[in-house]
Amino acid sequence: MSRVGVMVLGPAGVGKSTFCASLLNHIQSVGRRAHLVNLDPAAEPGEYEFTVDIRELISLEDVMEEMSFGPNGGLLYCFEFLMTHLDWLDEEIGDYEDEFLIFDCPGQIELYTHIPVLPALAKHLSQNLGFSLCAAYLLEAPFVIDKPKFFSGVMSAMSAMILLELPHINILSKLDLIKDDVSKRELKQFLNPDPTLLSGINSSTNPKFYNLNRALVQLIDDFGMVQFLPLDSTAPESVGNILSYIDDITQWAEAQEPKEPKDEYIEDDDEFGQMLAAAEAGGGGGGKEE
C-alpha cells in the first residue's frame, strides 16, 4: 500500500483548480484511483466534486461574516483553525489507501512565508499520515510577456521550494494563451530562466533598480533550482507528462504491490497447464542428467 499526493500551489488565477481537474480526469482515464482534496476555504463549486472539503470544517465566508475579518485575515484564521483540528483531516482522508490525492491549495503566499501553515501541514501529511508528497507550483505563461512579473513569480516559486521542504516541480500553465505570441525558442529561455533576460527587465524599469534586478536574477541563477515544465491543461499528453514527473518524484510505481496472476487464467489455459506439468515432471527441465 502507498499513500501518494501532490500539493498544488501558486498565485490566484494561475489555473490551479483547472489543473487539478485535468489531472484527476487523466489519472482516472488510465485506470488509477484519485481524489480531490480541497484546502481552499474560499473555493467555488467546480466541475468535479471534492472528496474531502475544508469548507465542511470551516469556510472563509462564515469567518468573514462572524468575525468581521477581511479575506486575507479570514484565510489565515481558517488555516490556524485547521491546524488545531487536524484530527478532522486525519479522519476524512484516513480511509484512502493506495490512492492518489490531489490537494488543491489556496493561492495566498502568506500561508508559507509569513505564517508557515502549509509547511506544517505538509510535514503532518508526510510524517504522521505516511504520504509521499510532491509540491507542484504553478505560474501562468502570460507572465513571460511581462519579464519583471515573471521574475517576481520565479522568486515566489523559489520561496515555496525552500520553505515547504518537499520534492518540488514548477509548472508554466496556460501555454495555449501565448502560443501565438511567443516562439518555442523564446519559451525555452523562461522554462529554464536565463539571466540574459535581465536586459529586457532593465530596459523597462527605473535605472536605480538595475543593481537590484541584477542581484535577484543572479540569485535565481546561482540557486539553480527553478525550472518549469510546460502545461496546457486542455491537452491530455501535456497533463500526462506532468503526471509522469510527479510519479517519478513520489515513486508511485515502486510502491505498488505486485499483483498475483488470476487463478481462472491458469485453470482455463490448457496449454499453459500442460507446460507447467511437464516442467514439474522433469524437475524444471534445466538439470543435467547424472
Side-chain angles (χ1 to χ4, degrees):
M1 292 290 187
S2 63
R3 311 190 80 180
V4 176
V6 56
M7 297 184 71
V8 180
L9 308 110
V14 297
K16 295 188 298 296
S17 295
T18 300
F19 170 63
C20 288
S22 299
L23 186 61
L24 175 70
N25 184 61
H26 186 83
I27 293 173
Q28 292 178 339
S29 71
V30 297
R32 289 164 55 179
R33 294 176 295 177
H35 301 276
L36 281 178
V37 178
N38 175 42
L39 294 179
D40 186 356
E44 298 291 336
E47 178 183 355
Y48 292 90
E49 182 179 352
F50 296 117
T51 302
V52 179
D53 191 347
I54 190 177
R55 292 173 301 175
E56 296 178 2
L57 175 69
I58 188 170
S59 73
L60 179 60
E61 182 180 0
D62 290 342
V63 169
M64 291 176 62
E65 181 179 345
E66 296 177 12
M67 307 192 70
S68 300
F69 284 165
N72 288 338
L75 185 67
L76 293 177
Y77 179 88
C78 288
F79 266 86
E80 290 176 345
F81 186 84
L82 172 64
M83 295 306 295
T84 59
H85 293 79
L86 286 175
D87 55 327
W88 173 86
L89 184 63
D90 296 351
E91 183 178 351
E92 289 292 311
I93 65 178
D95 294 334
Y96 297 106
E97 297 283 352
D98 200 25
E99 301 183 36
F100 193 102
L101 297 189
I102 304 168
F103 297 88
D104 190 359
C105 302
Q108 280 73 7
I109 191 174
E110 294 89 349
L111 294 175
Y112 55 83
T113 54
H114 297 65
I115 300 177
V117 175
L118 286 181
L121 180 59
K123 183 176 294 186
H124 175 75
L125 292 171
S126 300
Q127 297 182 359
N128 296 348
L129 299 187
F131 272 91
S132 178
L133 284 177
C134 167
Y137 190 94
L138 273 66
L139 193 66
E140 59 179 314
F143 274 27
V144 306
I145 300 174
D146 186 343
K147 293 184 179 67
K149 184 181 291 186
F150 172 75
F151 276 102
S152 174
V154 171
M155 292 294 293
S156 178
M158 188 167 70
S159 176
M161 296 177 75
I162 295 171
L163 296 172
L164 285 173
E165 298 183 336
L166 287 176
H168 193 108
I169 60 173
N170 296 300
I171 299 172
L172 200 61
S173 63
K174 301 184 180 182
L175 278 185
D176 53 307
L177 298 182
I178 63 166
K179 60 183 179 181
D180 296 329
D181 301 314
V182 179
S183 68
K184 291 183 178 180
R185 182 176 181 180
E186 291 174 319
L187 184 61
K188 287 182 179 179
Q189 292 183 299
F190 294 95
L191 294 178
N192 187 5
D194 186 349
T196 61
L197 295 172
L198 174 65
S199 59
I201 294 179
N202 281 343
S203 65
S204 61
T205 56
N206 191 307
K208 69 181 181 180
F209 295 119
Y210 284 6
N211 290 336
L212 175 62
N213 291 338
R214 185 176 293 106
L216 290 176
V217 175
Q218 192 61 48
L219 173 65
I220 295 169
D221 187 50
D222 290 344
F223 206 64
M225 291 180 62
V226 183
Q227 297 181 350
F228 291 91
L229 299 172
L231 170 67
D232 178 357
S233 290
T234 64
E237 63 275 10
S238 180
V239 179
N241 183 55
I242 298 295
L243 177 60
S244 68
Y245 277 91
I246 295 173
D247 284 344
D248 286 345
I249 290 173
T250 58
Q251 298 182 323
W252 178 84
E254 288 81 351
Q256 300 308 297
E257 294 183 351
K259 297 181 179 180
E260 297 292 336
K262 295 182 179 179
D263 293 339
E264 61 267 25
Y265 173 81
I266 298 177
E267 293 173 356
D268 293 343
D269 193 336
D270 294 336
E271 182 179 356
F272 180 82
Q274 293 172 5
M275 292 173 60
L276 181 60
E280 291 175 346
K288 182 179 180 181
E289 295 183 1
E290 296 293 339

